Amino acid sequence: MQIDRAGLAEFLRRRRESLQPEDVGLPRGQRRRTSGLRREEVATLCHISADYYSRLERERGPHPSEQMIASIAQGLHLSHDERDHLFRLAGHNPPARGAGGEHISPGLLRIFDRLADTPAEIVTELGETLRQNRLGVALNGDLTRFTGPARSIGYRWFTDPACRALYHPDDHPLHSRVFASGLRRVVTLRGPRSWAAHLQSLLLESSDEFRAVWHEHEIGVGYAHLKRFVHPQVGALDLTCQALLDPDQAHALLVYTAVPGTESYEKMELLAVVGAQNLAAPAFDGGP
């Protein structure tokens, strides 16, 4: 497929101009004259340089990679049809839709963008973190930095001891059962050639604990009402984790809250302050 530079540039401009700052979780400001988003704002949302994005809108620059187009599609909050169109304009075949895809639906992103005062993250069915807000990073560490099998919290749980430090030791056996049970469900759902089945094989080879839990053949194991954290900066936290599911993409928006008036609620307020102070500091190694 050939890149359609004129079509790509026009589509990007129209999509940028159709978005307002509040649509993507940005402050409007008092001196805004631009109709829609500024190029610099879009570049920030897409995690690319403003110069690179501006050249695309001016029909210039190198041929964007599939990874770059995926990042732009997510930053512009495109629907799946719009994302596929963008890929074709850029001379690429669109990624497959459905389970295993990483393109977050605009509706789920709009909800996520409005969650500024409580930890939140968007994860795949295998516990791979696609997006975290500022408080989500303050609570769990930066979970988007992992690559390969380690992107899955279930995989890290059985292969990286540091992953367990964030949780109360008495709850570790339950976490092991939950992760093994969840992986079993996805393997059965997606089949023996799926990424989930590959993770299963890797864990069976590398973890005695996983083998023992896996051979119990448990399914549907879940958590109690609260999840107990042991945070390195604010200490013990009892939090409720609510999940909003997107069945089309098998993604879940996880939101962590504390009961008002409790010690955990006060610590969450402190965590918000600590998180703001540590924005420029490296995130600690943790798990969701």
Side-chain angles (χ1 to χ4, degrees), residues 48-250:
I48 60 178
S49 72
D51 177 68
Y52 184 95
Y53 179 80
S54 295
R55 282 186 288 164
L56 289 178
E57 283 201 3
R58 297 187 177 109
E59 304 180 31
R60 297 165 50 197
H63 187 174
S65 66
E66 294 183 24
Q67 182 180 8
M68 183 68 69
I69 291 300
S71 181
I72 293 172
Q74 195 69 84
L76 286 172
H77 286 44
L78 300 187
S79 68
H80 282 92
D81 287 338
E82 291 169 333
R83 179 205 65 172
D84 292 352
H85 181 63
L86 181 66
F87 265 82
R88 294 187 179 100
L89 289 174
H92 299 297
N93 290 316
R97 299 194 188 190
E102 297 193 2
H103 185 76
I104 305 169
S105 69
L108 203 62
L109 271 180
R110 282 193 292 271
I111 299 172
F112 174 83
D113 288 338
R114 285 159 174 76
L115 295 173
D117 61 349
T118 190
E121 60 182 325
I122 297 176
V123 302
T124 70
E125 62 186 357
L126 291 172
E128 300 157 326
T129 300
L130 303 178
R131 190 70 66 93
Q132 287 175 288
N133 65 4
R134 179 180 62 85
L135 284 177
V137 174
L139 175 64
N140 290 316
D142 179 8
L143 304 180
T144 63
R145 74 186 193 281
F146 293 103
T147 60
R151 292 186 64 202
S152 168
I153 173 59
Y155 180 86
R156 296 198 305 275
W157 181 262
F158 291 103
T159 59
D160 181 4
C163 176
R164 304 190 176 203
L166 191 60
Y167 295 92
H168 195 289
D170 291 348
D171 298 337
H172 287 186
L174 175 60
H175 287 298
S176 297
R177 294 172 59 212
V178 168
F179 291 134
S181 168
L183 181 59
R184 182 178 296 279
R185 180 189 66 82
V186 180
V187 169
T188 304
L189 185 64
R190 306 303 174 199
R193 296 184 178 180
S194 64
W195 180 246
H198 178 62
L199 292 181
Q200 171 202 341
S201 297
L202 292 177
L203 287 172
L204 286 173
E205 293 175 1
S206 60
S207 172
D208 292 337
E209 181 188 6
F210 178 79
R211 283 194 296 272
V213 179
W214 184 258
H215 290 315
E216 293 297 323
H217 286 265
E218 290 186 302
I219 198 73
V221 180
Y223 293 108
H225 179 62
L226 294 176
K227 295 180 72 172
R228 296 192 293 176
F229 291 79
V230 184
H231 194 274
Q233 292 172 299
V234 299
L237 290 167
D238 292 341
L239 303 179
T240 298
C241 179
Q242 300 288 346
L244 176 63
L245 301 178
D246 177 1
D248 292 336
Q249 282 295 99

